[in-house]
Amino acid sequence: MTTINLTTKIKAPKQTVFNASRNIDIHQKSASPTNEKAIAGVRSGLINLNETVTWRRKHFGFYLTHKSQITAMTFYDYFVDEMEEGKFKSFKHEHFFAEENGITIMKDKLQYETPFGLFGELFDILFLEKHLTNFLLERNKVLKEVSEKTDLKYDF
């Protein structure tokens, strides 16, 4: 199992950052390099506990689908999305939010397992972990930009 941990500091209230993080439209904007689109489930606006979204995106030259469900949520501190259907053996993304002196500290913990045994592990080491880290960094850059510029304080 591979774990990616990232921390992003954002000059915005944690409610704003929390809502931006679960906003399907903002996610699609951050994932535009992979042409990612929500094609089923919640396809726009805020996703909530027990709701699902199915994404279609292009990675490594192939179009892939990935269905996730929000399996845990504590407003405005934490939520989890987990793969229901997709190419991974397992995929769990935990999102943590804390606020200190007007700065939101957003932490991502992404844990996943690749299929295909040794071949999958080698692919992860050579390409996938870096690809997913860069994907999350781009997502977090967009979340930071949107959250810091918004006039809306808690909702999108």
Side-chain angles (χ1 to χ4, degrees):
M1 178 175 293
T2 302
T3 302
I4 299 170
N5 289 294
L6 295 176
T7 299
T8 306
K9 294 183 179 181
I10 301 173
K11 294 177 188 173
K14 76 175 180 176
Q15 294 90 335
T16 299
V17 179
F18 181 88
N19 284 340
S21 296
R22 61 192 184 99
N23 186 296
I24 301 299
D25 304 301
I26 294 171
H27 183 86
Q28 288 180 125
K29 177 182 176 184
S30 73
S32 62
T34 61
N35 199 27
E36 185 163 343
K37 301 287 181 213
I39 60 168
V42 178
R43 295 191 318 235
S44 184
L46 301 179
I47 191 165
N48 289 297
L49 182 62
N50 297 321
E51 293 181 330
T52 63
V53 59
T54 301
W55 299 102
R56 183 174 188 265
R57 65 190 104 192
K58 192 173 189 177
H59 288 280
F60 303 107
F62 299 98
Y63 280 99
L64 306 170
T65 59
H66 180 100
K67 181 179 181 182
S68 290
Q69 179 180 23
I70 304 300
T71 58
M73 185 178 286
T74 304
F75 283 91
Y76 295 96
D77 300 316
Y78 176 76
F79 73 93
V80 180
D81 61 88
E82 293 187 69
M83 182 188 75
E84 280 192 356
E85 298 171 15
K87 299 298 182 195
F88 291 90
K89 190 173 181 181
S90 68
F91 188 97
K92 180 179 182 180
H93 186 180
E94 295 178 276
H95 309 255
F96 301 88
F97 305 86
E99 191 171 341
E100 296 176 11
N101 301 318
I103 305 289
T104 296
I105 294 128
M106 180 178 74
K107 294 184 179 183
D108 292 281
K109 181 179 180 181
L110 175 61
Q111 293 181 297
Y112 64 90
E113 289 181 88
T114 56
F116 310 120
L118 187 58
F119 175 76
E121 289 177 31
L122 185 60
F123 180 73
D124 184 34
I125 291 166
L126 294 175
F127 304 105
L128 187 58
E129 183 177 6
K130 182 177 180 181
H131 177 74
L132 289 174
T133 299
N134 288 335
F135 185 83
L136 287 175
L137 288 170
E138 179 62 25
R139 173 188 168 271
N140 291 354
K141 183 180 106 181
V142 171
L143 286 172
K144 180 177 174 67
E145 289 171 359
V146 168
S147 296
E148 289 179 349
K149 290 180 183 175
T150 188
D151 291 333
L152 304 173
K153 290 302 174 193
Y154 303 115
D155 296 314
F156 290 94

